[in-house]
Amino acid sequence: MKTIKFLLFSMIICLLLAQSAFPASGRNANILVYPFEYNGDSKYSWISSGLTDTVISDLGRIKGINVFSDDDRKRTIKEMELGMTGLFNESTVVKVGNVMGANIIFLGSLQVAGDKIRVNAKLVNVETSKIEKTIKIDGTMDQIFELQDKVVLGLLAETEKVNIADVKPVVVDDKDKSRITNKYKPGKDAYELYANGLRIMGSDPKGALDYFNKAINISPEYTAALSMAGVVSGSTLTRFKEGLEYMTAAEKVLISRGDEKTDEYAALMINTGIVYNSKGEPDRALEYYDRAEKIMINLNRQESATYASLMTGICNAYIAKNSHDRALEFCSKSREIRERLKMQNSSAYATLMVNIGIIYKAKGDFDRSLDYYSKSEALMGKLGMNGTTAYATLMMDEGNVYYSKKDFDKSLEYYNKSGEVRDKLGLHDSAGYADLLNNIGLVYYAKGDFDRALENYSKAVEKKEKLGVQKSVGYGNILFNTAVIYHKKGNSKMAGEYYRKSSEIYKSCGLNSKAENALKKAKELGF
């Protein structure tokens, strides 16, 4: 009998050891950080932007967590047409979390009285739409960094207690805590300037850049300020050379600290790649994306939303290189990761379906392209996004495919759907609406209805000029198309005038061959 008991005991021990040898099943938690609400004296509104940024940054240091960037949140809100002014009630916040594929949301409010700060932080379970925990943390202006550490660690401690189906329990060890508490902290004055830059970055990028520069002047090794200055100048303001200089400066600081194998360094490489791709240098972009990927693999970050986004970035670089098979390879990797993360019911996944559709269109496989567009359309409908700018853009993309298939009636049907959504959203005077009108003009031209084509081209030109975006390839294309119509109608004077105008625009955009072709046509007509 003793022998049997011993054997049973041994079997139980072996089973426990075997279970401990394997990681817990499920996926890492996806956490969305929503801006902390502040309604007091405007001179302290920067604290909300700074606290939100710090919480996101600190969560990125925890290996068992996927955290969404604030850019991801803003992009989703814009796609859902919720507007960017003010904060929303908790039910709306949960809706945003659902669309993004979040499991947990951190949000809350803060109050300032003299030099005292109180933070009321909340943890919301997206699955149940319930607030799991509310914590109150007090601090002072002089100890704002310590206050922020307490907020992050306090929320993480409560997150460890949350159970969500198919999601690994969050475990925060001493090394994770050390990475949070021992991170680089600038002086308070530099931090306030940086946070003020974050506060106005969406509405006033030039003003934000000024704040970032002031922060850098006080703390030259402030890598967050250097990196964000690079993003604003290099991506938002398209000052590529200036943006890359900021990125290089941030890289040098991180290398001097021995931080080349960190999430922050990987993020810097990704942002640098984005600037190079925007600059029209996809090969250089791929160099930086490759460096970011190696770091993330070393950090075991392959199963994260950030890694999936990196795969999409590499896909976009290959699209720019017209390497459609390679582009499809990396978009497919992004798709597989998001599916493993159970994020196939998110706006990011819907956008990914559009990207794959674009690739198949470029490859000339129009039916496969439409198949992916249909998947995106169905998902957007499921997410309640069929009245958004993202949906309007999708309708135009589908119309473009039908135009390529020479199914002009179907193409016009989708263009009209796109127009209806834009009309409801009050987007009549937008560059996207002007491009839509140009596309509608192309359809009528293909159908031989030159008057209707000219009508839409004229409206498109009017909108582009009203918006002050004449120096663009799109504007040049509309002018050229208008010239073609006048040429067809036998009005040589107007045709020549528009050919010459389009030539000037193409030349200003660096499209010399197009400029020469348009100028040649103008000269043939005596202009």
Side-chain angles (χ1 to χ4, degrees):
M1 180 65 82
K2 288 183 178 179
T3 303
I4 293 172
K5 287 182 177 179
F6 177 78
L7 287 171
L8 286 171
F9 177 76
S10 298
M11 287 172 68
I12 291 169
I13 293 298
C14 289
L15 284 170
L16 290 172
L17 288 172
Q19 288 175 354
S20 67
F22 294 95
S25 61
R27 54 199 166 89
N28 290 340
N30 299 322
I31 298 181
L32 169 64
V33 181
Y34 220 81
F36 286 73
E37 186 175 8
Y38 173 72
N39 295 315
D41 191 327
S42 60
K43 71 179 181 179
Y44 296 122
S45 60
W46 60 270
I47 299 175
S48 171
S49 300
L51 176 58
T52 304
D53 179 73
T54 297
V55 174
I56 293 171
S57 176
D58 284 351
L59 291 179
R61 302 171 194 276
I62 310 301
K63 290 186 177 181
I65 289 173
N66 294 322
V67 60
F68 295 99
S69 72
D70 205 43
D71 280 344
D72 289 334
R73 180 190 63 83
K74 290 175 181 176
R75 192 179 303 112
T76 301
I77 288 172
K78 186 176 180 180
E79 288 173 349
M80 294 174 68
E81 294 303 323
L82 294 174
M84 292 307 299
T85 56
L87 296 165
F88 315 111
N89 59 41
E90 282 157 12
S91 64
T92 307
V93 172
V94 170
K95 184 178 179 181
V96 174
N98 263 316
V99 169
M100 293 183 69
N103 307 118
I104 295 169
I105 301 174
F106 290 168
L107 71 160
S109 61
L110 58 92
Q111 299 169 315
V112 177
D115 69 337
K116 306 289 185 183
I117 306 173
R118 166 165 286 185
V119 178
N120 294 293
K122 301 176 183 178
L123 186 157
V124 175
N125 184 332
V126 177
E127 185 180 42
T128 61
S129 301
K130 292 181 180 178
I131 298 173
E132 295 280 347
K133 186 69 177 180
T134 298
I135 58 175
K136 292 182 180 180
I137 297 175
D138 295 319
T140 64
M141 286 288 184
D142 290 338
Q143 296 178 322
I144 191 166
F145 299 118
E146 289 80 356
L147 170 67
Q148 291 179 340
D149 289 348
K150 289 178 182 177
V151 171
V152 176
L153 294 174
L155 285 168
L156 285 171
E158 296 304 326
T159 304
E160 289 182 289
K161 304 172 187 176
V162 178
N163 293 315
I164 301 173
D166 298 324
V167 175
K168 294 178 186 177
V170 172
V171 178
V172 183
D173 59 26
D174 290 339
K175 287 184 179 179
D176 292 326
K177 293 175 183 177
S178 178
R179 278 191 287 268
I180 291 170
T181 56
N182 293 331
K183 64 180 180 287
Y184 170 82
K185 295 180 175 71
K188 178 182 168 294
D189 290 342
Y191 177 72
E192 180 177 342
L193 289 164
Y194 169 70
N196 265 310
L198 294 175
R199 178 178 58 84
I200 65 170
M201 196 165 67
S203 59
D204 183 8
K206 289 183 180 178
L209 184 59
D210 185 49
Y211 273 120
F212 295 145
N213 275 318
K214 288 177 180 177
I216 293 164
N217 287 336
I218 295 174
S219 298
E221 295 190 347
Y222 196 173
T223 53
L226 285 165
S227 180
M228 203 55 68
V231 169
V232 171
S233 56
S235 295
T236 308
L237 301 175
T238 65
R239 300 176 187 170
F240 302 123
K241 184 174 182 291
E242 179 183 325
L244 291 169
E245 287 173 353
Y246 284 117
M247 300 289 192
T248 301
E251 183 181 2
K252 288 179 179 177
V253 174
L254 290 174
I255 291 173
S256 71
R257 294 178 188 160
D259 287 340
E260 301 101 311
K261 296 180 180 180
T262 62
D263 291 288
E264 184 179 3
Y265 193 88
L268 180 65
M269 295 299 97
I270 292 172
N271 286 333
T272 305
I274 290 170
V275 173
Y276 271 115
N277 204 41
S278 300
K279 191 172 182 278
E281 296 184 32
D283 286 323
R284 290 301 303 278
L286 286 169
E287 289 177 21
Y288 283 89
Y289 289 149
D290 181 62
R291 292 168 68 181
E293 183 179 7
K294 288 176 180 175
I295 295 166
M296 295 188 76
I297 290 172
N298 185 57
L299 293 170
N300 197 26
R301 297 290 202 194
Q302 299 97 308
E303 295 299 307
S304 68
T306 303
Y307 191 82
S309 295
L310 172 60
M311 295 298 100
T312 302
I314 295 173
C315 167
N316 291 334
Y318 278 115
I319 289 175
K321 285 168 60 67
N322 292 316
S323 300
H324 302 123
D325 289 334
R326 291 286 280 164
L328 186 59
E329 176 188 337
F330 283 93
C331 264
S332 296
K333 286 183 179 180
S334 179
R335 177 185 182 181
E336 290 164 4
I337 295 166
R338 292 188 187 280
E339 287 176 353
R340 288 197 295 271
L341 294 173
K342 305 294 184 184
M343 294 178 67
Q344 59 267 54
N345 289 321
S346 66
S347 60
Y349 192 85
T351 301
L352 184 59
M353 294 299 98
V354 173
N355 285 351
I356 295 175
I358 289 170
I359 294 169
Y360 277 116
K361 179 181 181 294
K363 287 166 67 69
D365 192 340
F366 302 135
D367 290 333
R368 291 285 291 279
S369 177
L370 288 171
D371 180 48
Y372 279 95
Y373 285 150
S374 295
K375 289 176 181 177
S376 181
E377 184 179 347
L379 180 53
M380 286 190 188
K382 183 179 179 181
L383 294 171
M385 295 177 64
N386 48 3
T388 67
T389 51
Y391 189 82
T393 301
L394 173 60
M395 293 298 97
M396 190 162 80
D397 286 338
E398 290 194 65
N400 292 343
V401 177
Y402 280 113
Y403 177 81
S404 297
K405 285 169 66 72
K406 301 190 185 303
D407 188 343
F408 301 124
D409 289 334
K410 200 74 173 175
S411 176
L412 196 58
E413 177 188 331
Y414 277 90
Y415 287 153
N416 286 333
K417 285 182 181 179
S418 179
E420 288 168 7
V421 175
R422 294 173 197 270
D423 287 338
K424 288 179 182 177
L425 294 171
L427 300 175
H428 313 92
D429 295 322
S430 65
Y433 206 99
D435 292 334
L436 176 63
L437 289 169
N438 177 57
N439 288 359
I440 292 173
L442 287 170
V443 172
Y444 279 120
Y445 175 78
K447 288 166 69 72
D449 190 340
F450 299 148
D451 289 334
R452 295 285 290 277
L454 186 59
E455 178 187 342
N456 281 279
Y457 289 150
S458 298
K459 288 179 181 177
V461 168
E462 182 183 339
K463 290 186 185 296
K464 289 280 187 180
E465 290 177 349
K466 186 176 180 180
L467 290 166
V469 289
Q470 295 98 314
K471 290 186 178 180
S472 66
V473 177
Y475 182 69
N477 290 339
I478 296 170
L479 292 174
F480 187 86
N481 292 339
T482 305
V484 171
I485 292 291
Y486 277 121
H487 201 169
K488 285 281 186 181
K489 289 171 68 70
N491 191 333
S492 299
K493 180 180 179 182
M494 293 298 288
E497 183 180 329
Y498 275 92
Y499 277 135
R500 185 170 286 278
K501 284 182 179 179
S502 67
S503 176
E504 291 170 359
I505 298 299
Y506 285 142
K507 188 175 181 180
S508 69
C509 295
L511 300 177
N512 295 327
S513 60
K514 280 196 168 189
E516 290 171 6
N517 179 52
L519 184 60
K520 179 182 177 182
K521 289 182 178 294
K523 287 180 178 178
E524 287 173 354
L525 294 171
F527 287 86

